[in-house]
Amino acid sequence: MDFSAYQLRTFWEVARTGSLTKTAKNLGYSQSSVTAHVRSLENRVGSPLFHRLPHGVRLTAAGETFRVYVGRILSVMDEMSVALKNKGEPTGRVVVGATAPLMEYELQEIVRQSRYRYPRVSLSLKVMSTGDVEAAVASGSVDVGLTFTRAAGEGKAAAAGGVLREALFSVPFVPVGPVGSLAGDPPLPDRVLVVDPDCPSQQVLPHYLTAVRGEAPALMETGSTRGALGLAGAGLGVAMVPRAAADCGSAPEGPAPVDSLPGTVMHVQALLPDSGWLSPAVSAFLSLARRAGGAAADAPGPSAGPVLV
């Protein structure tokens, strides 16, 4: 369908105000011009976009659908205009939804680099559960989702459910528990501290302990990696955390890696809308995620016991 930008902006304003008269005043058109714009769009769409009411207009079902796409088109046009004014430098807001372990540790370096490499890109970070991240990407409420997966993958995977997956980098995880009880051959723990029950990294210890003990351990949800570390250090259970979070030695009374339990390696994946197009701001964020995340994953750090992959 061939639409004119001025007609789309007219439609957007009519949908916003619910009035042809107010739209004409706000955009500087005559009311007859506004009416002509709307009728031209309806002819191209093949369906009425508004219900005509005694005092204004209301979107039809087709109009509601049309408004969603018009919003995207106008947003891209405005973003393009700003980018060109800034000589092509990536500009815009990127909403990132990620699980707690990623948000608390792995994203810090990416955010730091973004501030000086792409000063016109604004990052908005939202902590979500693994299941909520995918739903948010599919609905468009976030631009990029970051979650852990067991499979490393190769580049971009086929889309599923309207979401495209791209492998970024790997993150080693280690089990941690209280310092004072780890000497010798400690008994198997009967409680696991879980940050995000849906995250594959948080399912490793429960599955392992169930197989070894013959019964499932008790689970305690902590809501954050820092919360899991604090409770593990207090002796309330063991937790599987990113190696960067283990930080042995900075707090003598804090948690330490448990050598008798297996660690694991998780792979970070980016979840993207299956639209075939990424804004320059999103592309800039992803380029930083590939570089900064990969460098962080290669950094030396504490390890614990065997590794499950």
Side-chain angles (χ1 to χ4, degrees), residues 58-181:
R58 178 168 53 85
L59 287 168
T60 62
E64 292 283 3
T65 300
F66 191 64
R67 181 173 63 172
V68 172
Y69 290 99
V70 170
R72 294 181 185 177
I73 293 170
L74 295 180
S75 177
V76 170
M77 291 176 62
D78 291 342
E79 186 175 292
M80 177 183 66
S81 176
V82 173
L84 291 175
K85 288 179 181 177
N86 292 317
K87 300 180 180 180
E89 181 180 349
T91 302
R93 179 170 177 256
V94 181
V95 183
V96 181
T99 57
L102 276 164
M103 194 69 73
E104 293 171 315
Y105 294 96
E106 304 302 328
L107 280 182
Q108 291 185 11
E109 176 63 15
I110 299 173
V111 172
R112 185 188 71 80
Q113 289 201 25
S114 178
R115 291 187 64 182
Y116 76 84
R117 291 182 65 90
Y118 302 112
R120 296 182 183 276
V121 173
S122 172
L123 297 181
S124 178
L125 309 179
K126 296 184 178 182
V127 179
M128 299 179 172
S129 69
T130 298
D132 289 342
V133 170
E134 183 162 347
V137 173
S139 68
S141 58
V142 303
D143 299 307
V144 182
L146 297 175
T147 62
F148 287 110
T149 179
R150 288 185 181 274
E154 292 287 342
K156 291 186 178 180
V163 175
L164 185 69
R165 290 164 172 77
E166 179 182 351
L168 295 179
F169 55 90
S170 300
V171 175
F173 276 72
V174 295
V176 295
V179 172
S181 63

Side-chain angles (χ1 to χ4, degrees), residues 257-298:
V258 182
D259 293 334
S260 59
L261 296 175
T264 189
V265 175
M266 289 287 126
H267 308 284
V268 177
Q269 62 178 351
L271 276 58
L272 306 165
D274 183 26
S275 60
W277 179 85
L278 297 176
S279 72
V282 172
S283 296
F285 170 80
L286 287 175
S287 69
L288 289 178
R290 296 183 190 105
R291 293 198 299 268
D298 294 335

Side-chain angles (χ1 to χ4, degrees), residues 196-210:
D196 175 6
D198 296 330
C199 181
S201 68
Q202 304 299 287
Q203 299 166 6
V204 172
L205 286 180
H207 290 171
Y208 174 80
L209 293 172
T210 298

Side-chain angles (χ1 to χ4, degrees), residues 18-85:
S19 169
L20 300 178
T21 303
K22 290 181 180 179
T23 296
K25 180 179 179 181
N26 293 344
L27 298 183
Y29 293 134
S30 65
Q31 185 168 337
S32 60
S33 294
V34 171
T35 300
H37 293 175
V38 171
R39 285 179 178 169
S40 178
L41 290 174
E42 290 177 328
N43 289 336
R44 285 176 169 80
V45 171
S47 299
L49 298 174
F50 294 99
H51 295 293
R52 273 63 173 179
L53 306 174
H55 302 287
V57 296
R58 178 168 53 85
L59 287 168
T60 62
E64 292 283 3
T65 300
F66 191 64
R67 181 173 63 172
V68 172
Y69 290 99
V70 170
R72 294 181 185 177
I73 293 170
L74 295 180
S75 177
V76 170
M77 291 176 62
D78 291 342
E79 186 175 292
M80 177 183 66
S81 176
V82 173
L84 291 175
K85 288 179 181 177

